[in-house]
Amino acid sequence: MLFLPTMHPIIEQARNEGRVVLTEVESKELLGQAGINVVTTRLAGSRSEAVAISQQIGFPVALKITSPDIVHKSGAGGVKLGLEMPEQVEQAYNDILRDIRQKYPRARVYGVSVQKMAHPGVEVIIGAKRDKQFGPVLMFGLGGIWVEVLQDVSLRVTPVTRRDAGEMIKEIKGYRMLTGYRNQPPADISKLEDMLLAVSEFTVQYPMVSELDLNPVIANGDGAVAVDARVVLEI
């Protein structure tokens, strides 16, 4: 039987628009449907819609600019965190659009994403990149700014087994942060393994995806959830 790679409508739409980088909202929808745990995120095209979504998913929320032309949202003034009231959402929406229009007047703006704030935990990164020689390579390490500063990561060629996933987690120098320290409870390692396995399967199911970043993934005693996501398609 001939194997045909899965072409998701989100990927097809991006292709039709000449884009290879999916927006955060598109990335999370695609990944969520593939069984990867992502924080609830919806796109708002107006201030009133942002408030309505915030009330539906529950406070506190975060707002982020959604634009295919803006990669570093925080540095552009396109992120507002920990919003707990409708009035704060309205103000944050106005501030984000004002700052973006001033700094990037030619940027295409689809709207502002509204997402549920995740519970505190250890920030880790899970990613995958398609290597020309080895195929898709899975990555795990400390996330947030630490991935750039410490570069504390482990790698495996996909597909991986649960044993592989467990070894990847234990190999990083920051593993002790996941086992509990000071007043920080241990993270649910099995949920991190689940996410690594799901991302591994995703790379097999979608060979047209060249790169994937989940950073940060918040790991705590309740599980693991991706707060930010980025999917890049092959040119």
Side-chain angles (χ1 to χ4, degrees), residues 8 23 30 38 46 60 67 89 104 108 124-125 172 190 198 204 210 215 226:
H8 194 281
T23 67
L30 178 64
V38 297
S46 67
S67 168
V89 172
Y104 301 93
R108 293 168 292 174
V124 299
I125 181 173
I172 66 170
S190 66
V204 175
S210 65
N215 185 29

Side-chain angles (χ1 to χ4, degrees), residues 159-207:
V160 301
T161 64
R162 181 169 291 275
R163 179 177 178 178
D164 293 327
E167 290 176 349
M168 288 181 70
I169 295 169
K170 292 178 181 178
E171 280 177 6
I172 66 170
K173 296 177 182 178
Y175 172 65
R176 289 184 61 188
M177 296 179 65
L178 296 167
T179 61
Y181 63 96
R182 294 189 179 181
N183 295 324
Q184 183 75 32
D188 188 334
I189 301 299
S190 66
K191 293 299 183 182
L192 281 175
E193 293 175 351
D194 289 342
M195 188 172 287
L196 284 166
L197 289 170
V199 172
S200 172
E201 176 60 28
F202 181 87
T203 65
V204 175
Q205 185 178 3
Y206 293 99

Side-chain angles (χ1 to χ4, degrees), residues 78-111:
V79 178
K80 302 292 182 182
L81 305 175
L83 308 173
E84 298 182 345
M85 296 183 294
E87 295 79 10
Q88 292 178 332
V89 172
E90 290 180 341
Q91 186 62 53
Y93 185 94
N94 291 339
D95 291 345
I96 287 174
L97 289 186
R98 180 199 63 214
D99 292 345
I100 293 302
R101 286 167 179 161
Q102 289 177 351
K103 296 178 181 178
Y104 301 93
R106 296 184 180 180
R108 293 168 292 174
V109 175
Y110 295 162

